[in-house]
């Protein structure tokens, strides 16, 4: 009883976290009813994480109306998880524009993965246009994961032209060639030559590991000459780790890219 009163006093003073902690303690001891009661008090005192915990508890109890009510309260207070929850509710209800708007708000509030998940869900549902719209909105907001996932998904599905297009959009948005490099990994199953071209394009866009990774794969396959050529190419981009550079070419590289011989 004393702990509850102290927690209530703290909540009245603007620190509802004490009620949330008390709820967690009751939940650990198996007192679910008492935990929910404390969560409700914390929520009424403005604790948005308590609101979202209640939303999830209500959803688990199949009280979807109650779950949405708590999620809306959390979202209204700027809680990112609440905004993401409502975005999924809107998506399930078929309100795609509403879902996108809420997902963007959730992203701005710190729930960054919501955009990638939304784009992926639409892609899986066959809504390619919707998936692309979300990915581009996300890229405009500085979140590049949706474009990355879209490009890799299209490549794995055999839509190579679309995969390259989205990988290049990611480059234009500032991903430094990492998406192109990822597409190249899967492209090797189709064409070694095309994969090599994508790796080089990724390296030109700034991917520090594209050429190194491919060189390692060639070494493991026994193509030491091809691997060495790629290591030289990598070194000329300035990307090779210094310790590896010293091991391979202790005297450096000449301007034409060939190893500098020992003058001793």
């Amino acid at each position: 009883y004393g702990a509850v009163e102290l927690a209530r006093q703290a909540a009245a003073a603007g620190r509802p976290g004490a009620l949330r902690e008390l709820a967690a303690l009751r939940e650990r001891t198996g007192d679910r009813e008492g935990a929910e009661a404390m969560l409700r008090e914390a929520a009424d005192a403005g604790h948005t994480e308590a609101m979202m915990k209640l939303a999830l508890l209500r959803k688990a109890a199949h009280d979807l109306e109650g779950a949405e009510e708590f999620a809306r309260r959390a979202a209204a207070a700027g809680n990112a998880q609440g905004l993401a929850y409502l975005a999924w509710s809107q998506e399930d209800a078929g309100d795609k524009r509403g879902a996108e708007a809420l997902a963007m708000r959730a992203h701005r509030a710190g729930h960054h993965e919501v955009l990638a998940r939304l784009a992926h869900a639409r892609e899986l549902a066959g809504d390619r246009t919707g998936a692309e719209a979300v990915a581009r909105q996300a890229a405009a907001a500085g979140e590049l994961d949706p474009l990355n996932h879209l490009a890799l998904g299209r490549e794995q599905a055999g839509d190579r032209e679309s995969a390259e297009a989205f990988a290049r959009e990611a480059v234009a948005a500032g991903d430094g060639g990492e998406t192109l490099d990822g597409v190249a990994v899967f492209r090797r199953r189709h064409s070694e030559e095309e994969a090599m071209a994508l790796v080089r394009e990724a390296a030109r866009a700034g991917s520090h590991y594209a050429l190194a990774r491919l060189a390692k794969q060639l070494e493991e396959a026994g193509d030491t000459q091809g691997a060495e050529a790629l290591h030289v190419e990598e070194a000329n981009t300035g990307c090779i780790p210094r310790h590896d550079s010293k091991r391979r070419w202790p005297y450096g590289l000449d301007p034409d890219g060939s190893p500098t011989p020992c003058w001793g």
Side-chain angles (χ1 to χ4, degrees):
Y1 178 77
V4 173
E5 284 306 309
L6 286 172
R8 285 172 176 158
Q9 289 175 26
R15 299 189 299 275
L19 288 168
R20 175 67 182 91
E21 290 173 11
L22 195 56
L25 179 62
R26 290 190 173 187
E27 187 175 23
R28 285 196 295 270
T29 61
D31 182 7
R32 295 182 180 178
E33 188 174 326
E36 187 160 339
M38 288 293 97
L39 284 169
R40 287 178 181 274
E41 288 196 41
D44 289 342
H47 198 285
T48 62
E49 289 182 16
M51 295 174 197
M52 277 313 303
K53 177 67 174 178
L54 285 164
L56 297 175
L57 287 174
R58 290 293 85 214
K59 184 177 181 181
H62 305 291
D63 176 14
L64 299 183
E65 187 175 330
E68 184 147 334
E69 176 192 345
F70 282 113
R72 286 191 180 281
R73 287 175 61 183
N79 181 278
Q81 190 180 4
L83 290 162
Y85 184 100
L86 293 180
W88 289 115
S89 295
Q90 296 291 83
E91 182 76 5
D92 290 342
D95 181 2
K96 294 187 180 298
R97 286 193 176 183
E100 288 173 17
L102 284 164
M104 287 300 298
R105 286 179 60 195
H107 166 70
R108 288 193 291 269
H111 199 299
H112 303 306
E113 63 270 25
V114 66
L115 294 168
R117 285 185 58 196
L118 185 59
H120 183 61
R122 291 188 179 182
E123 186 81 351
L124 286 179
D127 180 11
R128 288 166 61 98
T129 301
E132 292 167 9
V134 172
R136 286 176 173 135
Q137 282 190 63
E143 178 61 36
L144 302 183
D145 277 352
L147 278 177
N148 178 281
H149 295 172
L150 202 58
L152 297 183
R154 296 280 172 92
E155 178 67 23
Q156 291 179 75
D159 187 351
R160 292 184 286 276
E161 183 178 347
S162 181
E164 289 186 32
F166 284 109
R168 291 184 180 114
E169 282 194 40
V171 168
D175 91 327
E178 297 306 316
T179 300
L180 273 169
D181 188 29
V183 169
V185 171
F186 294 105
R187 184 62 59 88
R188 291 191 70 212
R189 303 172 184 175
H190 168 72
S191 167
E192 191 76 44
E193 183 179 353
E194 289 181 15
M196 183 79 77
L198 287 171
V199 166
R200 290 197 167 108
E201 187 177 348
R204 288 194 299 273
S207 176
H208 297 301
Y209 303 106
L211 289 169
R213 180 186 47 72
L214 188 55
K216 183 178 179 182
Q217 290 173 348
L218 291 178
E219 280 183 343
E220 291 171 350
D223 183 0
T224 55
Q225 186 175 355
E228 187 73 9
L230 283 175
H231 279 303
V232 170
E233 189 172 337
E234 182 195 6
N236 286 332
T237 69
C239 295
I240 195 164
R242 289 184 180 179
H243 65 86
D244 202 19
S245 176
K246 283 292 185 183
R247 177 178 65 82
R248 287 182 176 278
W249 307 293
Y251 309 105
L253 293 172
D254 283 349
D256 65 357
S258 60
T260 301
C262 174
W263 285 82

